[in-house]
């Protein structure tokens, strides 16, 4: 397909425009992306890239997945937006689809992960209000978003710096430490909030039994368990939600990134007995649950089921693992750990991983580095084996060109 419209701005032109008119709160690569298809994406000059990190985890089905494009196009001609003062069929259908694929909860829709977590925190506080329970326990190294309560829940000082004072009532404990949670709970604790796998925190996976342990502790103390599945949810780990691997059911679950195949959408699901404390007027989102996002999410679910993509997640993860094991065998001094669950992939190096991102970009491969030394990949469930092999050969070349750790 021809990547370029004749009148499209060059990367240089767009960069100059950003310099003047867009706030500089992001570090951006000097590349302007214009079109994508599956795991490939093109820039304004027509260069093609293989994308191992499509849409920062939002494009779980790759760029422009056909069923989603079609569903959104159709919905655009019917109704773009109506407020939540009316009923709309796509929102009801999506709520049922999500509920039936998880723990029978009820849904509140919004537009992002942070918003979903704000809703979860507010719901947990309202739920605990009459019993004086307001404290939220979260995990060090976690990431829950950038709005104030979600940011406060994010127990990483670097994200708080300059924004203090934070929201009161949050307590931080180490990740993967059940005893620490037990010690931190008191009669004012409303909820424990945790990612089943820490994404931004370096694709960190807790020990087996951690989630079921949290479930037990929460039950013993009458505390809610909130799972932040903004990154792990909707099939990334090979099950609809990551908690299914342990069978530890949450009281509240949040999901966003991949929810609607790349269209902005977020959801908070809660057990009906918890959800019912939200009364009309207590919480809202103007765009939440709009027909476009809901049709896109329904098309995403349909694609995953029709194409057997939950099963495919394991095979993709295994193929990446094979490549990484070979890199580790060849250069054991450079690789500290390989952490893979489905298409949530972390390769921890013994040194800062920024050189991998730059080296891969120069060779036409998009990857991410997080938490300093972790190469993070969130490839699409639709990626082909030959694309995995090609990208991994680039990764291997870049990693193996590294100098020894200083
Ligand atoms: C990305 C992310 C968020 C924040 O989502 P936004 O849509 O950027 O607000 C929250 N929690 C987790 C686990 C995430 O990965």
């Amino acid at each position: 397909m021809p990547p370029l419209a004749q009148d499209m701005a060059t990367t240089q032109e767009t960069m100059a425009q950003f310099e003047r008119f867009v706030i500089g709160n992001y570090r951006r690569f000097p590349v302007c992306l214009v079109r994508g298809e599956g795991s490939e994406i093109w820039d304004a000059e027509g260069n093609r890239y293989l994308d191992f990190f499509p849409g920062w985890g939002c494009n779980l089905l790759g760029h422009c997945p056909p069923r989603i494009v079609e569903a959104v196009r159709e919905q655009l001609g019917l109704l773009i937006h109506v407020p939540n003062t009316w009923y709309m069929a796509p929102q009801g259908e999506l709520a049922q689809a999500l509920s039936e694929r998880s723990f029978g909860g009820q849904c509140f829709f919004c537009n992002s992960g942070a918003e979903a977590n704000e809703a979860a925190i507010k719901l947990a506080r309202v739920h605990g209000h009459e019993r004086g329970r307001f404290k939220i326990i979260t995990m060090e190294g976690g990431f829950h978003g950038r709005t104030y309560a979600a940011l406060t829940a994010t127990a990483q000082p670097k994200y708080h710096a300059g924004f203090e004072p934070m929201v009161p009532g949050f307590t931080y404990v180490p990740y993967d430490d059940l005893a620490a949670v037990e010690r931190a709970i008191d009669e004012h604790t409303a909820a424990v909030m945790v990612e089943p796998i820490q994404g931004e925190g370096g694709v960190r996976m807790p020990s087996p039994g951690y989630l079921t342990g949290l479930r037990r502790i929460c039950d013993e103390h009458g505390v809610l368990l909130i799972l932040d599945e903004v990154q792990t949810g909707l099939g990334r780990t090979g099950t609809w939600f990551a908690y299914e691997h342990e069978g530890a059911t949450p009281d509240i679950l949040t999901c966003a990134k991949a929810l609607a195949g790349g269209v902005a959408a977020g959801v908070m699901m809660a057990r009906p007995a918890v959800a019912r404390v939200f009364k009309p007027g207590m919480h809202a989102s103007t765009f939440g649950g709009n027909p476009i996002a809901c049709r896109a999410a329904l098309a995403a679910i349909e694609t995953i089921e029709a194409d057997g993509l939950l099963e495919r997640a394991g095979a993709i993860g295994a193929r990446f693992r094979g490549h990484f094991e070979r890199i580790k065998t060849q250069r054991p001094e450079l690789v500290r750990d390989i952490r893979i669950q489905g298409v949530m992939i972390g390769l921890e190096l013994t040194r800062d991983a920024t050189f991998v991102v730059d080296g891969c970009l120069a060779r036409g491969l998009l990857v991410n580095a997080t938490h300093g030394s972790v190469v993070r990949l969130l490839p699409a469930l639709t990626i082909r084996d030959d694309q995995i092999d090609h990208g991994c050969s680039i990764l291997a070349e870049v990693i193996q060109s590294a100098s020894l750790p200083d």
Side-chain angles (χ1 to χ4, degrees), residues 2 7 14 32 71 108 124 127 143 161 177 179 185 195 216 240 258 320 322 339 364 369 400 404:
D7 55 355
T14 301
C32 180
F108 164 81
H127 181 263
F143 186 83
D177 185 343
I185 285 186
E195 293 159 88
R216 176 182 51 75
W240 284 115
F320 273 98
R339 295 188 288 271
Q400 289 168 1
L404 290 173

Side-chain angles (χ1 to χ4, degrees), residues 163-247:
F163 295 110
E164 302 89 346
M166 306 311 288
V167 177
F170 286 78
T171 307
Y172 308 136
V173 300
Y175 192 53
D176 199 19
D177 185 343
L178 291 173
V181 174
E182 199 112 45
R183 280 193 301 274
I185 285 186
D186 63 25
E187 73 276 18
H188 298 300
T189 306
V192 172
M193 182 170 175
V194 63
E195 293 159 88
I197 297 172
Q198 285 188 339
E200 193 274 347
V203 194
R204 275 190 72 196
M205 300 181 180
S207 314
Y210 180 58
L211 288 188
T212 43
L214 286 178
R215 180 68 273 175
R216 176 182 51 75
I217 292 169
C218 287
D219 286 343
E220 282 168 11
H221 293 85
V223 165
L224 299 178
L225 178 60
I226 303 173
L227 292 185
D228 178 345
E229 296 229 24
V230 169
Q231 192 164 143
T232 51
L234 216 86
R236 180 160 294 284
T237 69
T239 51
W240 284 115
F241 296 99
Y243 75 79
E244 294 169 59
H245 294 291
E246 279 211 2

Side-chain angles (χ1 to χ4, degrees), residues 22-46:
V22 178
I23 292 177
N25 60 310
Y26 298 100
R27 204 174 298 115
R28 296 176 195 269
F29 297 105
V31 175
C32 180
L33 299 170
V34 295
R35 189 177 69 78
E37 188 182 335
S39 291
E40 293 184 320
I41 192 159
W42 286 262
D43 69 18
E45 280 67 42

Side-chain angles (χ1 to χ4, degrees), residues 54-66:
W56 206 272
C58 299
N59 301 341
L60 178 64
L61 303 176
H63 295 285
C64 300

Side-chain angles (χ1 to χ4, degrees), residues 87-168:
Y87 291 95
M88 49 199 120
Q91 187 178 133
E93 283 168 34
L94 178 59
Q96 180 175 353
L98 291 170
S99 182
E100 289 175 353
R101 283 161 186 76
S102 53
F103 55 99
Q106 293 179 316
C107 298
F108 164 81
F109 291 101
C110 50
N111 314 284
S112 70
E115 271 181 275
N117 287 331
E118 292 286 334
I121 291 162
K122 285 180 75 176
L123 180 63
R125 285 204 169 165
V126 173
H127 181 263
H129 191 70
E130 281 181 4
R131 294 173 298 140
R133 290 181 175 271
F134 61 90
K135 288 190 189 169
I136 314 282
I137 296 172
T138 67
M139 310 305 159
E140 289 167 11
F143 186 83
H144 301 291
R146 306 292 195 136
T147 56
Y148 255 107
L151 179 65
T152 307
T154 297
Q156 298 195 58
K158 68 175 176 187
Y159 290 121
H160 295 180
F163 295 110
E164 302 89 346
M166 306 311 288
V167 177

